[in-house]
Amino acid sequence: MRKNLVAGNWKMNMTYQDGLALVSEITNMVADEVGGSGVEVVICPPFPFLHSIGKLLTAGGNIHLGAQNCHQKESGAFTGEVSAKMLQSVGVEYVILGHSERRQYFHEDNELLSQKLKAVLAAGLKPIFCVGESLETREADETFAYLEKQLKEGLFHLSNEEFDQVTIAYEPIWAIGTGKTATSQQAQEVHAFIREQIARAYDAEAALNTTILYGGSANAQNARELFSQPDVDGGLIGGAALKSRDFTEIIKSF
Ligand code: PGA
């Protein structure tokens, strides 16, 4: 079922001590609201902090644990990598896949992401699958064609049952970490388009039930306007997820 969701993507930021402090502040500030508002909150810290932060979250209320990536294989000789099953075993529920930083700096393509998606789903975890166009693509007026291809190749190979587990995050690359947010109209236009593509690939019910997040310089000031759009179900938050007050304000924007 579609829900309102706010996920904090810490990326490669924070020490363990800073992370623990941030999470206690967040749980203290939102404990009551999160319980009653129906907003699902997900925190995605770096791998080494997952287990301890997960314990804090379980103790602190309705906030869920997510990871930022995982390997596509179940186990084996892949030095330095982390599998979906490992994540599941430390209490992770969500995994971000296909973030533009992974696509750009680690050369993750739709083929590899398909394998990662399968691995995440096989471990019983829920993918947050990111799509989004570059500034060049937007300026060339190719945004919709680009997104259609990304969705088809990256996501729509999943069965109906698998697709039910997926949350999509629309993150225009030109808006990530730049302070340049998509306008609420731009976000709504793309979110509606994504929903239309889901209806085509699956059916109207799947389209209606899919949670679609916006990401890219979302903050305490613009979240309310973005989340008020009919097809924007929440946000994948980077920079503003590193400050307890900002992140909490975003959660309260619903
Ligand atoms: P940002 O990052 O909010 O700092 O733009 C969002 C993301 O990359 O998920």
Side-chain angles (χ1 to χ4, degrees):
M1 263 318 255
R2 180 168 167 186
K3 53 191 157 199
N4 291 332
L5 192 152
V6 173
N9 173 15
W10 290 9
K11 310 193 180 185
M12 198 173 74
N13 292 300
M14 295 272 152
T15 61
Y16 176 58
Q17 288 75 16
D18 293 342
L20 288 183
L22 176 62
V23 169
S24 346
E25 284 168 24
I26 293 169
T27 48
N28 286 337
M29 286 183 191
V30 297
D32 297 337
E33 263 95 342
V34 173
S37 65
V39 182
E40 187 156 322
V41 177
V42 182
I43 291 184
C44 307
F47 288 141
F49 315 160
L50 282 170
H51 187 234
S52 321
I53 286 183
K55 280 188 169 166
L56 269 185
L57 295 182
T58 331
N62 187 22
I63 307 185
H64 303 250
L65 187 64
Q68 300 172 21
N69 179 34
C70 76
H71 194 264
Q72 63 275 21
K73 297 276 194 226
E74 199 181 313
S75 64
F78 302 101
T79 302
E81 291 294 329
V82 175
S83 75
K85 205 172 165 186
M86 291 172 185
L87 296 176
Q88 189 272 336
S89 73
V90 294
V92 167
E93 223 179 299
Y94 286 89
V95 183
I96 299 172
L97 288 179
H99 192 282
S100 60
E101 286 149 19
R102 301 278 335 159
R103 292 181 192 257
Q104 185 182 348
Y105 304 131
F106 303 95
H107 312 294
E108 296 193 1
D109 57 13
N110 288 328
E111 165 58 30
L112 176 68
L113 290 169
S114 305
Q115 295 173 36
K116 290 194 176 202
L117 266 171
K118 290 279 181 189
V120 163
L121 291 163
L125 304 177
K126 300 176 214 163
I128 298 177
F129 191 81
C130 306
V131 296
E133 80 286 0
S134 66
L135 187 59
E136 209 184 0
T137 303
R138 179 157 282 267
E139 284 176 347
D141 223 1
E142 286 165 2
T143 299
F144 293 111
Y146 182 82
L147 290 172
E148 188 180 341
K149 187 169 184 303
Q150 238 181 5
L151 289 165
K152 261 193 193 144
E153 290 180 2
L155 207 49
F156 292 163
H157 55 88
L158 297 177
S159 70
N160 286 61
E161 293 69 33
E162 288 172 329
F163 186 76
D164 274 354
Q165 302 304 312
V166 175
T167 295
I168 296 177
Y170 167 57
E171 298 209 308
I173 299 169
W174 48 270
I176 297 177
T178 56
K180 202 173 161 188
T181 325
T183 63
S184 52
Q185 289 78 5
Q186 283 172 324
Q188 168 57 27
E189 192 184 22
V190 171
H191 282 229
F193 174 79
I194 293 174
R195 230 177 268 291
E196 211 177 281
Q197 299 306 305
I198 300 170
R200 273 201 201 153
Y202 297 94
D203 52 39
E205 203 188 332
L208 212 65
N209 283 337
T210 304
T211 302
I212 308 178
L213 310 178
Y214 168 79
S217 297
N219 59 39
Q221 284 72 47
N222 58 32
R224 194 176 293 268
E225 166 74 17
L226 285 163
F227 297 171
S228 69
Q229 300 304 309
D231 287 297
V232 178
D233 304 314
L236 179 54
I237 317 296
L242 301 174
K243 294 179 208 120
S244 53
R245 195 156 294 282
D246 292 20
F247 191 58
T248 310
E249 284 305 313
I250 293 171
I251 295 165
K252 291 182 186 169
S253 299
F254 280 106

